[in-house]
Amino acid sequence: MTHPQPAGSTTNGFRDNAAGNRFELEIDGLVAFADYRRRDGLLIITHVEAPVPLRGTGAADRLMRAVAEAARAEGLSIRPLCGYAAGWLRTHREFRDLAV
């Protein structure tokens, strides 16, 4: 994603569900999600979860990549409160600059 997507828009199953304060990635009718709060130029990721059938398929990785790309496009930093999100940012050098 090179441009910010309007709230609720979908790119390859990814959307910002602003009303629910979560990013969602729909795959085969199942939804992986990242709960968030926005505050003072920060995207605070509080929880990332994938349904059991999607675990081990790379769904959460694809979700976090889309979240990081959205944050970068919006000029936001990411504060990962969720262990998965924190670990993902540590292991993806191209997005480490977003973590605070």
Side-chain angles (χ1 to χ4, degrees), residues 45-64:
I45 305 297
T46 59
H47 182 72
V48 174
E49 186 172 325
V52 172
L54 293 180
R55 293 180 188 168
T57 68
D61 174 71
R62 290 193 305 275
L63 170 66
M64 280 303 302

Side-chain angles (χ1 to χ4, degrees), residues 24-88:
E24 300 172 338
L25 178 64
E26 185 173 347
I27 301 170
D28 297 330
L30 300 171
V31 178
F33 63 89
D35 291 330
Y36 69 81
R37 294 190 310 262
R38 292 175 187 263
R39 183 176 48 211
D40 302 323
L42 288 176
L43 185 60
I44 303 164
I45 305 297
T46 59
H47 182 72
V48 174
E49 186 172 325
V52 172
L54 293 180
R55 293 180 188 168
T57 68
D61 174 71
R62 290 193 305 275
L63 170 66
M64 280 303 302
R65 182 169 300 279
V67 167
E69 289 172 351
R72 178 163 284 142
E74 292 182 43
L76 301 172
S77 295
I78 298 175
R79 177 169 295 151
L81 301 183
C82 166
Y84 179 83
W88 189 91

Side-chain angles (χ1 to χ4, degrees), residues 10-33:
T10 301
T11 299
N12 297 326
F14 177 73
R15 65 184 162 260
D16 179 1
N17 177 350
N21 290 314
R22 69 186 206 171
F23 290 103
E24 300 172 338
L25 178 64
E26 185 173 347
I27 301 170
D28 297 330
L30 300 171
V31 178
F33 63 89

